[in-house]
Each structure stands twice: as C-alpha cells, then as structure tokens.
C-alpha cells in the first residue's frame, strides 16, 4: 500500500505494534548503552530511557543499531571503511514547484557558494519530490565525521545544520 504521508505511516505502525502487544513490547525513546557477555554470547543489554537504566535479558539479541553498537560493545571484531563516508543532514522545503530548471539552478548556486567559501562540502544536490508534489527533499550536505564518536557526531550535526541553512538560503 502506498502511504504518501509520513505521519500517517507512523500511526499505522503504532496500530500494527499494538495488534501484537501480547507478544511484543515496544519502548520508544530508549537506547541500548551497554551489554553483558557470558560464555561468549550477549546475555543482557542495558537500556537507558526515562525509567533510568534497565537490564534486559534475552535468549537471543538482534542488533539493529545500524552502527553495530551492541556487537561492538560485546567485543565482536568490526571494521570501518577508510576514509569514512561523509554524513548527510537531509532537510525538506515546502511550497516548491519543481521545473526542469530547478536542479541545474540549485547546482549552480551551490558551486558558487563552495567557490566563495560559504559551503565547504556539498553533494549533488539530490532534489526529490517524494513526500509531496510541492515539497522538496534535499540531499546535499556532506560532513566528514565519525558518527560512532559522540563528540564528532555532535560536531557533525552542528555543521550539517549550518550547511543545510546555508544551502536553503542560497
Ligand atoms: C544520506 C544517506 C543516503 C542513503 N542512500 C541510500 C540509498 O540510496 N540506497 C541504499 O540502499 N542505502 C542508502 N543508504 C544507506 C541505508 O539508509 C542504510 O544502509 C540502512 O538504513 C541501514 O539500515 P539499518 O536498519 O541497519 O540501520 P538504520 O536505518 O540506521 O537504523 C538503526 C536504528 O537504530 C537506532 N539506534 C542506533 N543506535 C542505537 C542504540 N544504541 N540503541 C537503540 N537504538 C539505536 C537508530 O536510531 C535507528 O533508528 C543511505 C544512507 C544515508 C545516511
């Protein structure tokens, strides 16, 4: 089923979760922050949320953190590419009517901003009208950073937001 509205998608997802509430307990706004390893397997995961720290035991733990946080903390060997792929701060702009000139015009101003030092890095831009006919999803910022390092991740978010604002204003 095609769901063009992100908020509607969230409501449908909530409903799906509630339909399976006998077997499935979901905690939003919770992060895994530590693991306990016993006899070579992850025996428990420590999660942090508004309840504080909670220890969750499981027969089987599936790490879906994207960065492999749980596997990494459990001591599994991991590799990361060198150089790391830069990070992208996406953003969306409303009330944009796309024309064939939109993308080349955007690219031109971003090249100028880069040459004049207002924008250190950028990509594309990728301009996608996927969420609404008049809403432009912009995939254009590029921040070199290591998102598995808390301080670097924060620095990248601040830089990404600044670059997104620069691109929006260009
Ligand atoms: C800008 C960009 C463009 C991309 N374009 C493409 C593309 O065109 N085609 C393509 O195939 N792929 C693309 N990718 C890659 C693709 O999005 C990822 O490979 C994919 O989303 C990874 O899925 P995942 O479920 O492993 O992780 P994610 O989608 O990253 O999901 C991980 C989830 O875990 C949560 N989480 C993280 N750490 C913790 C923690 N400690 N505790 C609890 N929760 C945690 C996160 O909040 C997140 O919700 C792109 C990625 C980016 C960033």
């Amino acid at each position: 089923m095609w769901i063009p509205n992100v908020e509607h998608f969230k409501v449908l997802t909530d409903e799906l979760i509630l339909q399976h509430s006998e077997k499935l307990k979901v905690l939003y706004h919770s992060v895994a922050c530590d693991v306990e390893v016993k006899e070579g397997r992850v025996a428990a995961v420590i999660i942090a949320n508004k309840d504080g720290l909670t220890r969750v035991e499981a027969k089987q733990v599936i790490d879906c953190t994207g960065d492999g946080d749980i596997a990494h903390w459990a001591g599994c060997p991991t590799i990361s590419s060198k150089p790391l792929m830069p990070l992208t701060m996406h953003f969306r702009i409303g009330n944009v009517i796309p024309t064939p000139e939109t993308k080349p015009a955007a690219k031109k101003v971003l090249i100028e901003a880069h040459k004049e030092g207002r924008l250190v890095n950028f990509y594309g831009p990728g301009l996608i009208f996927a969420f609404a006919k008049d809403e432009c999803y912009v995939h254009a910022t590029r921040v070199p950073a290591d998102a598995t390092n808390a301080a670097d991740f924060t620095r990248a978010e601040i830089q990404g937001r600044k670059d997104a604002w620069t691109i929006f204003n260009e």
Side-chain angles (χ1 to χ4, degrees), residues 30-32 64-66 69 88 90 139:
S30 303
V31 288
C64 301
T65 61
D69 288 355
T88 311
H90 300 199
H139 180 168

Side-chain angles (χ1 to χ4, degrees), residues 80-113:
S80 54
S81 61
K82 288 192 177 44
L84 289 167
M85 188 178 172
L87 313 186
T88 311
M89 170 78 75
H90 300 199
F91 60 98
R92 288 149 72 174
I93 309 173
N95 298 315
V96 180
I97 307 298
T99 71
E101 288 80 43
T102 307
K103 198 168 173 177
K107 183 159 192 134
K108 196 164 168 253
V109 292
L110 293 193
I111 290 170
E112 279 166 19

Side-chain angles (χ1 to χ4, degrees), residues 34-46:
D34 203 0
V35 296
E36 281 177 25
V37 179
K38 277 185 192 149
E39 295 166 7
R41 58 180 291 278
V42 177
V45 174
I46 314 301

